[in-house]
């Protein structure tokens, strides 16, 4: 029997930031549109010769230094996950998580990398994931509870 492919509903999203306000507008995607190119966020912001560093952005908008450090650790973990996604074959792991989703090898790799972060970060008090949903105490002095779905 022949199967039919149904394209997911897509919209064009246009994001625009001026001095104090952000504007987002959407429009239906063209009927032939499909994929990331039709769900990307575009801006009319002009290119600059220099952009603020992460530390400069944090100094302007985030005063909690411990949260700044945790966010930097999460960004570092995101780079490791991106590298793993580029170098590992996406295959079915053969297991299902508690939600009933079939686990992919990349789900397990990303989950393991985030657990490494949760266990090594002095800022994480407890952690849980979609793959391992029971809350685990990681550091008694930590301030934050970290929960994640590895690839979402």
């Amino acid at each position: 029997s022949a199967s039919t492919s149904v394209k997911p509903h897509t919209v064009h999203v246009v994001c625009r930031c001026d001095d104090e306000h952000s504007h987002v507008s959407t429009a239906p995607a063209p009927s032939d549109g499909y994929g990331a190119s039709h769900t990307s966020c575009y801006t009319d912001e002009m290119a600059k010769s220099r952009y603020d560093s992460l530390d400069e952005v944090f100094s302007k908008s985030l005063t909690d230094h411990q949260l700044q450090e945790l966010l930097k650790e999460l960004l570092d973990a995101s780079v490791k996950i991106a590298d793993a996604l580029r170098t590992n074959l996406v295959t079915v792991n053969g297991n299902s998580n508690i939600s009933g989703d079939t686990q992919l090898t990349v789900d397990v790799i990303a989950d393991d990398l985030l657990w490494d972060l949760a266990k090594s970060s002095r800022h994480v008090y407890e952690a849980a994931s979609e793959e391992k949903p029971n809350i685990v105490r990681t550091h008694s002095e930590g301030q934050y509870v970290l929960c994640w779905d590895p690839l979402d």
Side-chain angles (χ1 to χ4, degrees):
S1 69
S3 64
T4 58
S5 174
V6 177
K7 292 182 182 179
H9 175 71
T10 57
V11 294
H12 285 290
V13 178
V14 179
C15 304
R16 183 170 166 249
C17 298
D18 38 27
D19 290 344
E20 296 182 23
H21 304 290
S22 297
H23 304 282
V24 176
S25 60
T26 61
S31 60
D32 63 342
Y34 188 75
S37 66
H38 294 284
T39 58
S40 299
C41 187
Y42 299 97
T43 180
D44 58 3
E45 180 78 17
M46 297 299 293
K48 301 175 186 177
S49 61
R50 182 188 180 286
Y51 292 88
D52 289 345
S53 69
L54 185 59
D55 288 330
E56 289 169 330
V57 171
F58 281 166
S59 71
K60 292 177 186 176
S61 58
L62 183 63
T63 58
D64 183 333
H65 293 288
Q66 290 184 358
L67 184 55
Q68 286 179 13
E69 289 177 15
L70 178 57
L71 289 173
K72 287 178 185 179
E73 292 170 349
L74 282 165
L75 289 170
D76 288 341
S78 297
V79 169
K80 291 176 185 176
I81 290 168
D83 288 343
L85 291 176
R86 280 192 289 275
T87 59
N88 287 279
L89 191 61
V90 178
T91 59
V92 174
N93 178 298
N95 297 319
S96 296
N97 62 24
I98 194 79
S99 304
D101 297 333
T102 299
Q103 285 183 322
L104 302 176
T105 51
V106 290
D107 287 321
V108 174
I109 292 168
D111 196 56
D112 288 345
L113 289 168
L114 288 167
W115 275 109
D116 290 346
L117 164 67
K119 292 174 182 176
S120 66
S121 174
R122 65 185 178 92
H123 304 295
V124 178
Y125 177 70
E126 293 176 330
S129 75
E130 181 186 33
E131 310 303 319
K132 299 173 187 169
N134 294 328
I135 294 176
V136 175
R137 171 88 37 91
T138 55
H139 292 280
S140 60
E141 301 297 317
Q143 277 189 265
Y144 302 99
V145 176
L146 186 60
C147 301
W148 64 88
D149 180 341
L151 292 179
D152 289 343

